[in-house]
């Protein structure tokens, strides 16, 4: 299978899921401006919306949208039930509910905070995001969103929270979230995904990861550290 991605983008979520479940995946980078892929394909012919992620199966079928992709991956893996409970269980519906919440209430507005076209509403949008983070902060009664098990929803939340420094969201206002970030970043499979995408911590012990060029361009001090 091929996973079409950008480093540190939402495609990092299915990448983490693949590493957690031992799924063999080929990473294909997509150029945001030209929509050409690292192996020379026209990405718009693969996903007409132009954004990542997209998952191409071995038979050529393509699945888009991160929440759908991570559920497909978990259902395809022998060990998938530890990241997504079985069909018909309340636990599965709970994880699906969290995926929907993250994609609509966090992912979308956080991405819009990167876009200067929405600058006039950034302050109001940031307030909405912070309100939703307050809910998530209270939801983390255990190590992960649904308790002891690291699920596909936790991988997705980690990726979205990782964007916080770039859009002026202070996670220290929500005590459970920095601890969650540190806990997830310490997982061997997550470290493998971060390393493969060339993402580095801002400094030793840091909770946030980005390509070194991004870190340098933002003026962060210190020496970036590989996970």
């Amino acid at each position: 299978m091929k996973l079409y991605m950008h480093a540190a983008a939402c495609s990092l979520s299915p990448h983490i899921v693949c590493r957690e479940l031992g799924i063999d995946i080929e990473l294909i980078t997509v150029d945001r401006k030209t929509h050409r892929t690292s192996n020379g394909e026209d990405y718009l012919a693969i996903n007409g919306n132009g954004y990542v992620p997209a998952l191409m199966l071995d038979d050529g079928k393509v699945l888009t949208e991160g929440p759908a992709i991570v559920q497909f991956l978990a259902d395809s893996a022998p060990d998938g039930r530890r990241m997504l409970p079985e069909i018909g269980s309340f636990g599965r519906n709970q994880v699906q509910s969290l995926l929907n919440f993250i994609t609509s209430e966090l992912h979308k507005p956080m991405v819009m905070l990167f876009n200067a076209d929405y600058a006039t509403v950034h302050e109001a949008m940031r307030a909405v995001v912070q309100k939703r983070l307050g809910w998530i902060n209270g939801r983390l009664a255990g190590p992960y969103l649904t308790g002891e098990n690291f699920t596909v929803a936790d991988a997705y939340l980690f990726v979205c929270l990782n964007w916080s420094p770039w859009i002026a969201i202070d996670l220290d206002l929500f005590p459970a979230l920095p601890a969650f970030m540190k806990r997830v970043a310490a997982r061997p499979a997550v470290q493998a995904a971060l390393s493969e995408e060339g993402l580095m911590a801002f400094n030793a012990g840091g909770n946030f990861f980005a390509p070194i060029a991004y870190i340098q361009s933002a003026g962060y001090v210190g020496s970036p550290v590989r996970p």
Side-chain angles (χ1 to χ4, degrees):
M1 291 190 291
K2 298 176 182 178
L3 178 64
Y4 293 86
M5 48 78 71
H6 302 304
C10 56
S11 49
L12 176 58
S13 169
H15 185 190
I16 288 172
V17 171
C18 285
R19 298 300 167 223
E20 285 280 346
L21 297 177
I23 297 172
D24 187 25
I25 196 80
E26 180 184 359
L27 297 181
I28 307 294
T29 303
V30 179
D31 186 293
R32 294 176 189 269
K33 295 180 179 180
T34 66
H35 295 105
R36 302 300 299 183
T37 70
S38 55
N39 62 351
E41 297 171 296
D42 175 9
Y43 186 61
L44 291 175
I46 296 165
N47 180 4
N49 286 317
Y51 54 71
V52 297
L55 183 73
M56 181 177 285
L57 309 188
D58 292 339
D59 62 4
K61 292 178 181 176
V62 175
L63 186 63
T64 62
E65 306 303 328
I69 290 172
V70 295
Q71 291 179 77
F72 174 83
L73 291 169
D75 285 337
S76 301
D79 195 25
R81 294 291 69 83
R82 67 181 175 87
M83 294 197 76
L84 181 65
E86 61 185 13
I87 295 174
S89 68
F90 176 76
R92 187 184 185 95
N93 295 136
Q94 188 179 33
V95 172
Q96 290 173 325
S97 174
L98 288 163
L99 287 172
N100 287 340
F101 174 85
I102 295 166
T103 200
S104 62
E105 302 297 322
L106 291 177
H107 181 176
K108 188 62 174 182
M110 291 178 87
V111 166
M112 292 171 73
L113 286 171
F114 281 98
N115 193 331
D117 291 343
Y118 300 101
T120 57
V121 295
H122 275 182
E123 185 176 353
M125 200 176 300
R126 191 171 289 108
V128 170
V129 170
Q130 290 177 328
K131 183 177 180 180
R132 300 297 181 247
L133 291 176
W135 182 84
I136 282 285
N137 183 75
R139 183 72 177 69
L140 276 163
Y144 302 113
L145 286 170
T146 58
E148 296 296 323
N149 289 337
F150 180 73
T151 72
V152 293
D154 294 294
Y156 194 12
L157 178 61
F158 172 81
V159 172
C160 291
L161 295 184
N162 188 54
W163 303 331
S164 299
W166 309 99
I167 52 176
I169 297 293
D170 184 4
L171 283 196
D172 287 337
L173 297 174
F174 312 97
L177 300 186
F180 170 83
M181 292 294 288
K182 188 174 291 291
R183 191 177 303 119
V184 175
R187 297 180 66 87
V190 175
Q191 292 184 25
L194 293 170
S195 181
E196 189 162 358
E197 293 196 14
L199 307 181
M200 306 182 82
F202 293 1
N203 48 52
N207 295 334
F208 303 100
F209 303 85
I212 188 168
Y214 287 21
I215 297 173
Q216 293 173 338
S217 68
Y220 285 97
V221 298
S223 300
V225 180
R226 284 197 174 277

